[in-house]
Amino acid sequence: MRAEDVLSRYEALINRHDFDLLLPLLSKEAIFWFNDGSHSGLDEIRKAFEETWKKFPLERYWLEDRRWLAMGEAAAGCVYRFCWQTTRDGRMLSGGGRGTTLLRAEAGTWRIVHEHLSQFPK
């Protein structure tokens, strides 16, 4: 699978709200940075995802405007706009921001080693 395919698969699987489905796509050394904190390693990242899914069980997440800034044999990097939408207490909520995902080739398989999501600047 190409790096682009891994990111597309990640985008699709994240909406199933089952972290175990994401594990084959993530490096054991992954570091994820979000507005509410930094999460290092799969246990911390799992906790962050599962807490979000608990708060927003109907959340849908997707990526737009992908730009691959680097593509090599060992590493690849993509920037994009991320979007989310959910319903909470009968109200539709939506938002988004900017994101960066870095992938690394590990034993012949592309894995996400870093994700950084942040709000757009004011």
Side-chain angles (χ1 to χ4, degrees), residues 11 30 59 62 65:
E11 177 185 9
E59 180 193 40
W62 69 97
D65 304 325

Side-chain angles (χ1 to χ4, degrees), residues 16-100:
R16 306 252 316 260
H17 295 197
D18 181 347
F19 193 79
D20 289 333
L21 296 175
L22 301 176
L23 285 174
L25 307 176
L26 303 176
S27 172
K28 291 178 182 169
E29 300 172 353
I31 298 170
F32 280 37
W33 292 347
F34 302 138
N35 285 326
D36 63 353
S38 300
H39 312 281
S40 184
L42 296 177
D43 291 339
E44 287 184 20
I45 295 167
R46 175 190 292 272
K47 184 177 178 190
F49 273 66
E50 291 178 348
E51 286 177 3
T52 298
W53 293 333
K54 186 182 280 189
K55 287 184 214 170
F56 304 106
L58 302 175
E59 180 193 40
R60 188 174 70 86
Y61 174 90
W62 69 97
L63 307 179
E64 295 180 349
D65 304 325
R66 294 179 201 198
R67 282 187 50 205
W68 288 91
L69 300 180
M71 184 64 67
E73 290 183 24
C78 185
V79 296
Y80 46 83
R81 187 165 54 97
F82 70 90
C83 306
W84 59 268
Q85 186 176 56
T86 191
T87 303
R88 185 165 191 188
D89 299 326
R91 293 188 352 245
M92 180 67 73
L93 304 173
S94 63
R98 55 190 177 174
T100 303

